[in-house]
Amino acid sequence: MDLGMRRLLILALLALNFTPVEADTLTLKSGHPDTYVVKKGDTLWDISGYFLNDPWRWPKLWGVNPQIANPHLIYPGDRLTLVFIDGEPRLVVKKHIKKNVSGRIEPKDGAIPPVDLSLIQNYLVQNRVVDPEWLATLPIVMSGESPSRFHTAENVIYVNRALAMGAKVAIYEEGREFTDKESGESLGQEIILASSGRVIESGDVSKVKLLSNIRETRVGFKVAPVDDGDLLPAYFMPKAAQVDQASILAIEKLSREAGRFDVVYLDKGSEQGIEAGHVFSMYRDGEEIVVNNEDEPVRKTDRSSYDKVKAHFSDDNVVKMPDIYHGNLMVFKVFDKTSMGLIMLNHRPVREGDKLTIPETVTFKGE
């Protein structure tokens, strides 16, 4: 069998293991329930995970039901029933009415959210990615009334610029500077909120009283106006991303790998069309297999020096395996050239450089 035929055979065998499904088709999970009673602590994403292979598509699962067109109308105690309308699966709701001993209707617990906002609440106010040139223009913390090197709430700090009397400010610690892995272009500077304060005296050196602190404030931290947009409550309606060729830029917690409910940075932002709520599928690059002199496939980790040289000089001897699906993430915060996403589902550890693509439902053989 010649090399070309062998390569085609390998790829054909791999293709038998999975089949892409039309993006607009809802795929019910094997063994899904017919009904579900909403519990306190549930999210719309969680509930959809009992019924769908792609739980982020809950808006479509409930989209034609006027009773729950507004997800804020779903409460603990409501019973959801799976039905089919024009051949499409849909959830309908039977409202749970809570009464006291006198028979009067009592207020329900809060409506369940699309995702658990406690997972990302801190990041909504803490992390930003900004233009390094803008960051360089900000005033800095010089010292404070306390002789300590570290300052916390109720302390007064000194800032090297005249600030508007009574203005509320945010104090940031500089983090990583992000660059595009291929072009080297700057994607922005990470800054992490340390504390907030209010200007109590204005002059060449202004006094700021710290109102709250997430971490200790130190000399050299940057002082910026409060970004009201970062403090607004968040509501996320998941939808398929329309931006391809994105990738994982960095893991927020400075680890080598990330998993479910971890936060990552993406290398694309609002300038490329990224929006809060966009959902991406995550993939790892497929392995490159070299065919050796005995016409046998050799994995990269098993290559001899000869195999490595052969692979370097002859693309005919290298067969790239399909990219490996990891799961999906949802964007929740967007900057100019980067954004932040929450990993909602992962089958394998997520790493820097992993690919992000427009989500496509994949059904594995045997499901």
Side-chain angles (χ1 to χ4, degrees), residues 34-251:
D34 294 322
T35 63
Y36 180 80
V37 177
V38 180
K39 302 187 297 292
K40 187 174 181 179
D42 278 340
T43 67
L44 302 183
W45 198 299
D46 294 335
I47 293 172
S48 293
Y50 293 114
F51 296 91
L52 298 177
N53 285 334
D54 297 310
W56 66 271
R57 303 189 67 207
W58 60 259
K60 183 172 177 62
L61 182 63
W62 294 335
V64 299
N65 184 351
Q67 298 179 81
I68 50 178
N70 179 352
H72 286 289
L73 297 180
I74 303 174
Y75 296 89
D78 288 348
R79 178 179 292 274
L80 301 173
T81 302
L82 184 68
V83 299
F84 287 83
I85 300 175
D86 296 329
E88 287 287 329
R90 294 289 184 265
L91 283 178
V92 295
V93 64
K94 180 178 180 181
K95 306 306 290 182
H96 170 66
I97 299 176
K98 184 178 180 181
K99 296 183 179 181
N100 61 20
V101 292
S102 66
R104 290 182 301 177
I105 297 175
E106 295 182 342
K108 294 183 176 183
D109 295 329
I112 65 172
V115 297
D116 184 355
L117 294 182
S118 67
L119 297 170
I120 58 176
Q121 185 175 8
N122 289 339
Y123 299 108
L124 292 175
V125 297
Q126 289 184 24
N127 293 50
R128 296 171 63 185
V129 179
V130 299
D131 185 334
E133 294 183 2
W134 174 81
L135 185 63
T137 67
L138 295 180
I140 63 173
V141 176
M142 301 294 290
S143 65
E145 287 185 350
S146 167
S148 173
R149 296 172 55 196
F150 310 108
H151 307 283
T152 57
E154 302 301 319
N155 290 170
V156 174
I157 59 173
Y158 301 139
V159 179
N160 67 337
R161 191 169 303 173
L163 303 174
M165 187 67 183
K168 192 173 180 182
V169 296
I171 297 92
Y172 287 96
E173 178 182 5
E174 293 186 42
R176 295 162 284 185
E177 183 170 359
F178 297 129
T179 56
D180 185 275
K181 295 291 192 294
E182 295 183 0
S183 68
E185 174 193 5
S186 173
L187 299 180
Q189 172 75 49
E190 177 189 39
I191 57 175
I192 303 167
L193 184 67
S195 56
S196 65
R198 190 175 300 279
V199 179
I200 59 173
E201 187 175 314
S202 181
D204 291 340
V205 175
S206 295
K207 291 184 179 181
V208 173
K209 183 177 182 179
L210 298 182
L211 303 176
S212 64
N213 63 281
I214 298 170
R215 50 181 57 80
E216 295 167 324
T217 296
R218 305 183 188 183
V219 169
F221 281 12
K222 297 287 187 175
V223 180
V226 169
D227 186 344
D228 290 334
D230 280 344
L231 302 179
L232 295 175
Y235 174 74
F236 301 98
M237 178 72 76
K239 53 192 172 186
Q242 299 301 311
V243 179
D244 218 346
Q245 305 300 317
S247 64
I248 301 293
L249 178 64
I251 297 170

Side-chain angles (χ1 to χ4, degrees), residues 262-279:
D262 282 337
V263 171
V264 296
Y265 286 98
L266 286 63
D267 65 352
K268 297 290 187 293
S270 60
E271 292 184 2
Q272 292 77 37
I274 300 291
E275 299 176 4
H278 273 176
V279 175

